[in-house]
Amino acid sequence: MIRSEDSTVWHDKVLDIVFPRRCAVCGDICIPNGQFVCGTCKSRPVRISEPRCKKCSKPIASEALEFCYDCTRKDFHYKRGMSLWLYDEVMRQSIVRYKYKGGKEYTRYYAHEVAKYLGNEIKEMKPDVLLPVPVHRTRKKQRGYNQAELLAKEIGRLLNITVLPDALVRTIKTLPQKELSSIERMKNLERAFAVSKNYEETISKFHKLILIDDIYTTGSTIEACTKVLQKAGAEEVYFVTLCIGEGY
């Protein structure tokens, strides 16, 4: 009799032969077969290390500094954030394929790397729930998925943390953030998020919530979500993203 786990392994191996995995970093067929990334790409993503901003996790130039330039001049309401990789050209291309070109199979690689390198820090925070940053329903329909939701669910599964995929909703279809300045981004996101009516009472019962998203650049999206959650009664809001931009 074939055990269920053996059946799953066999099923995955067959799929890898019929539909070879694409490297989550470069997009080419993985060599060796069955890996999340090809051998040459394992070291290409640049992991964030010290010195980094104690607020948002952006890499900074000196250990003598506590915060990056953005965090010294902006009053962010979230408690603290963590990011895994630097948002350089390598990861920009990877994320583009993930979000806009149907690369949702990258989720397993991304989430496993987050669990491997940030998992202990996340668990030490003892969060009540993970909340994916929502996309507007029209964008989700176009893409077929919300990448932050896929990430949150897989990270939650790996770290055994509850995920509330529908607690936050995007009420307004805003302009793409990448086309706007920092000030324009904040204005663009005003009133863009809301707590779902089904969770209005629930959110106030949580002490620590972690927002999950793919990229942190200026912090406008995380800040907008944080304000909405705090208005609903959340005590402490943190974030975890795959990538983050440079500090100063």
Side-chain angles (χ1 to χ4, degrees):
M1 183 176 179
I2 300 176
R3 293 178 302 174
S4 60
E5 58 265 35
D6 292 336
S7 177
T8 300
V9 171
W10 177 83
H11 181 262
D12 288 346
K13 286 182 177 179
V14 171
L15 283 178
D16 286 339
I17 294 171
V18 180
F19 303 105
R21 282 184 191 170
R22 294 274 175 178
C23 173
V25 176
C26 71
D28 291 335
I29 292 174
C30 271
I31 299 174
N33 191 26
Q35 302 297 309
F36 292 127
V37 295
C38 59
T40 58
C41 285
K42 284 187 176 180
S43 60
R44 291 184 70 201
V46 179
R47 282 205 312 274
I48 304 297
S49 59
E50 299 294 345
R52 58 182 176 177
C53 177
K54 290 178 172 56
K55 181 75 172 179
C56 73
S57 191
K58 282 185 179 179
I60 51 181
S62 170
E63 291 182 358
L65 301 173
E66 287 191 89
F67 306 107
C68 69
Y69 177 72
D70 270 356
C71 289
T72 58
R73 65 190 185 94
K74 295 179 182 177
D75 184 23
F76 291 119
H77 290 75
Y78 62 81
K79 190 77 173 178
R80 185 167 65 89
M82 291 184 286
S83 296
L84 181 58
W85 293 303
L86 182 66
Y87 190 52
D88 57 10
E89 185 59 23
V90 170
M91 289 311 300
R92 187 192 71 79
Q93 292 183 15
S94 176
I95 296 293
V96 164
R97 290 192 300 273
Y98 183 47
K99 291 171 71 169
Y100 306 115
K101 298 185 179 180
K104 62 181 181 179
E105 70 272 14
Y106 294 3
T107 301
R108 289 182 66 191
Y109 167 66
Y110 292 152
H112 277 72
E113 293 296 288
V114 168
K116 180 178 179 180
Y117 292 105
L118 301 179
N120 287 339
E121 286 185 74
I122 293 171
K123 286 188 285 188
E124 284 172 5
M125 289 161 57
K126 297 181 180 178
D128 297 296
V129 291
L130 305 181
L131 303 177
V133 171
V135 296
H136 194 266
R137 62 181 180 276
T138 57
R139 286 210 173 101
K140 186 173 181 179
K141 186 176 181 180
Q142 288 170 353
R143 296 178 194 174
Y145 54 91
N146 170 12
Q147 73 283 351
E149 181 179 334
L150 296 181
L151 280 171
K153 287 180 176 178
E154 185 65 7
I155 293 169
R157 184 186 70 82
L158 292 170
L159 300 180
N160 195 29
I161 302 171
T162 300
V163 179
L164 299 181
D166 304 316
L168 271 177
V169 294
R170 197 148 191 160
T171 56
I172 300 172
K173 185 181 179 183
T174 53
L175 294 170
Q177 290 289 88
K178 61 184 179 181
E179 299 174 5
L180 306 174
S181 69
S182 179
I183 294 174
E184 288 172 335
R185 288 180 185 214
M186 288 304 298
K187 292 187 70 174
N188 188 43
L189 292 170
E190 288 178 4
R191 302 182 302 278
F193 299 100
V195 172
S196 170
K197 291 182 179 180
N198 296 332
Y199 290 95
E200 286 177 348
E201 293 184 10
T202 307
I203 291 296
S204 64
K205 298 176 183 177
F206 295 131
H207 177 57
K208 292 182 180 180
L209 302 87
I210 298 182
L211 289 163
I212 304 292
D213 207 1
D214 53 350
I215 307 165
Y216 180 107
T217 49
T218 66
S220 302
T221 299
I222 296 296
E223 177 68 1
C225 290
T226 298
K227 286 182 177 179
V228 166
L229 290 168
Q230 289 181 337
K231 187 176 181 180
E235 290 187 44
E236 295 180 359
V237 180
Y238 298 77
F239 76 80
V240 171
T241 62
L242 295 179
C243 300
I244 197 164
E246 294 259 22
Y248 294 96

